[in-house]
Amino acid sequence: MRIATWNVNSITARLPRLLAWLESSGTDVLCLQEAKVAEDQFPFEPLRELGYEAAVHATGRWNGVAVLSRVGIEDVVKGLPGDPGYDGAVEPRALSATCGPVRVWSVYVPNGREVGHPHYAYKLEWFEALRAAVAGDAQGSRPFAVLGDYNVAPTDDDVFDAAAFEGSTHVTPAERAALTALREAGLADVVPRPLKYDQPFTYWDYRQLAFPKNRGMRIDLVYGNAPFAQAVKDAYVDREERKGKGASDHAPVVVDLEV
């Protein structure tokens, strides 16, 4: 079984690439982030033609998550119980579903903007709500994983230059402590292998030639419980999908399971 996560940075802009990648990659379940489309405008039909059902939690604008599956979708839950919301609104940042033998969450963690900003406090509160929401499944016997854009680099090795991020979000002790708390709920970091260079970066900014210079970050993560982690046979970053005109600034992270 092949499971992947990909921040597509607008499914409308990326649809031809997405469809081609699904067809060529043999992915069974894909967790998407940053759909940037209202649910009633989601491209259900072209995905259905490829054999994929879709569960979607999106309202347009900047967020939106989805799970695509060709092995069935059941027990869909939209949103995060206990979501603190931001500026009076609860944003579509989390969706869970059971796909065949595996249960997954697709998550798009708040960016945080800058240390001290209200959005940074919201990010930490959101992480705590996520930890509480997944704790039961994390301890269960069914393979379970939380996949998505976490907007946190777990260690200094997960950024191209730790000094370049000093004082910025994505690398602060509080954000990394939130990741630690999530792992301590019963999840392990499934670290993919890079297809090029030494570090499995998953995100490269569009600016300043970041991708060809490999000035990247590993912020798209797969956190799986023990049954999930034990079933992993391979995991890699499909760096090729970051290349070329019209690419997302994130690459897919692909995990092969024997379940």
Side-chain angles (χ1 to χ4, degrees):
M1 185 175 188
R2 176 163 285 180
I3 297 178
T5 182
W6 190 6
N7 180 326
V8 291
N9 190 15
S10 172
I11 194 169
T12 302
R14 238 60 67 186
L15 185 59
R17 293 184 70 124
L18 171 63
L19 296 174
W21 186 81
L22 286 170
E23 199 162 18
S24 65
S25 68
T27 298
D28 297 301
V29 178
L30 175 60
C31 295
L32 288 178
Q33 299 85 43
E34 275 203 276
K36 292 185 178 178
V37 66
E39 190 168 331
D40 61 1
Q41 297 176 329
F42 197 85
F44 291 100
E45 188 54 36
L47 290 165
R48 193 174 294 117
E49 290 174 0
L50 284 184
Y52 291 88
E53 299 176 73
V56 182
H57 184 34
T59 56
R61 300 187 69 182
W62 308 115
N63 304 310
V65 289
V67 173
L68 314 181
S69 174
R70 62 179 186 180
V71 294
I73 292 183
E74 299 178 340
D75 302 325
V76 174
V77 177
K78 297 181 180 183
L80 187 62
D83 191 319
Y86 181 70
D87 199 22
V90 174
E91 300 173 329
R93 292 183 174 275
L95 182 146
S96 56
T98 299
C99 303
V102 176
R103 185 157 183 82
V104 298
W105 280 77
S106 178
V107 299
Y108 178 42
V109 175
N111 177 280
R113 300 184 187 173
E114 60 185 44
V115 178
H117 193 283
H119 207 263
Y120 180 78
Y122 163 54
K123 181 178 191 174
L124 299 179
E125 292 169 2
W126 199 93
F127 259 123
E128 176 54 28
L130 177 64
R131 185 204 60 77
V134 306
D137 280 324
Q139 295 292 332
S141 59
R142 172 174 56 183
F144 169 75
V146 183
L147 306 94
D149 180 355
Y150 280 67
N151 271 314
V152 183
T155 72
D156 284 352
D157 288 338
D158 295 308
V159 297
F160 71 89
D161 180 2
F165 292 89
E166 188 173 352
S168 301
T169 60
H170 293 57
V171 299
T172 65
E175 291 166 295
R176 288 176 171 172
L179 285 184
T180 299
L182 192 59
R183 291 193 299 269
E184 289 175 348
L187 301 173
D189 187 356
V190 178
V191 180
R193 59 185 174 88
L195 294 186
K196 188 178 180 179
Y197 302 114
D198 296 331
Q199 296 298 327
F201 297 148
T202 65
Y203 164 82
W204 300 260
D205 198 297
Y206 286 129
R207 299 168 295 180
Q208 299 178 335
L209 299 175
F211 181 65
K213 293 179 179 179
N214 199 37
R215 295 165 65 90
M217 308 174 72
R218 185 172 77 94
I219 57 175
D220 301 88
L221 309 176
V222 177
Y223 274 18
N225 70 352
F228 185 97
Q230 290 163 7
V232 172
K233 299 305 175 185
D234 192 15
Y236 62 93
V237 180
D238 190 352
R239 191 180 185 277
E240 294 297 305
E241 198 52 44
R242 177 59 177 81
K243 293 181 177 179
K245 185 178 180 180
S248 171
D249 44 3
H250 297 251
V253 179
V254 182
V255 180
D256 288 333
L257 304 175
E258 190 170 291
V259 290

